[in-house]
Amino acid sequence: MSVIERIQAEVEGHPIVLFMKGTAQFPMCGFSSRAVQALKAAGASQLHTINVLEDPEVRANLPRYSNWPTFPQLFINGELIGGCDITIELFESGELARMISEAQQQ
């Protein structure tokens, strides 16, 4: 399985996927930490995270897969939502909670 196929399997296999630096318990950058905090505050109980620092192939190829250059990268129901700033904006508007609630009900 190619790295792109592995990324696609992760994105399609979980309703909420965050490719990040570190883990949800131990984020390794401020942007990843803020994204996890926003997701948890918005009610994400089925959050699946992938530590890109542990998988250099994923870290190198995810920007090509998603056409998004930075980390973290949030996917909900297989669709790229964006990075930390977009996640925070969606949280502050209340939209993130709605998106998460819908994704976790499926």
Side-chain angles (χ1 to χ4, degrees):
M1 180 181 292
S2 76
V3 67
I4 297 296
E5 290 170 330
R6 285 187 10 233
I7 291 168
Q8 189 165 356
E10 292 287 1
V11 167
E12 292 175 354
H14 305 277
I16 304 165
V17 180
L18 184 68
F19 290 88
M20 62 181 288
K21 293 179 179 176
T23 64
Q25 295 78 16
F26 297 103
M28 301 294 283
C29 84
F31 297 111
S32 292
S33 177
R34 285 196 295 280
V36 167
Q37 289 172 355
L39 286 161
K40 286 183 176 179
S45 60
Q46 299 175 30
L47 176 60
H48 180 70
T49 62
I50 292 133
N51 182 355
V52 298
L53 298 176
E54 289 183 348
D55 195 333
E57 268 194 327
V58 169
R59 185 176 184 183
N61 287 281
L62 183 62
R64 210 172 327 144
Y65 173 84
S66 63
N67 202 25
W68 192 267
T70 58
F71 299 98
Q73 292 187 22
L74 174 63
F75 290 81
I76 297 179
N77 288 333
E79 179 183 339
L80 175 68
I81 303 305
C84 177
D85 291 346
I86 292 171
T87 302
I88 299 298
E89 287 173 19
L90 289 169
F91 171 71
E92 289 173 349
S93 73
E95 187 70 8
L96 187 62
R98 182 194 63 76
M99 295 166 76
I100 286 171
S101 175
E102 288 176 6
Q104 292 180 148
Q105 289 175 9
Q106 294 180 357

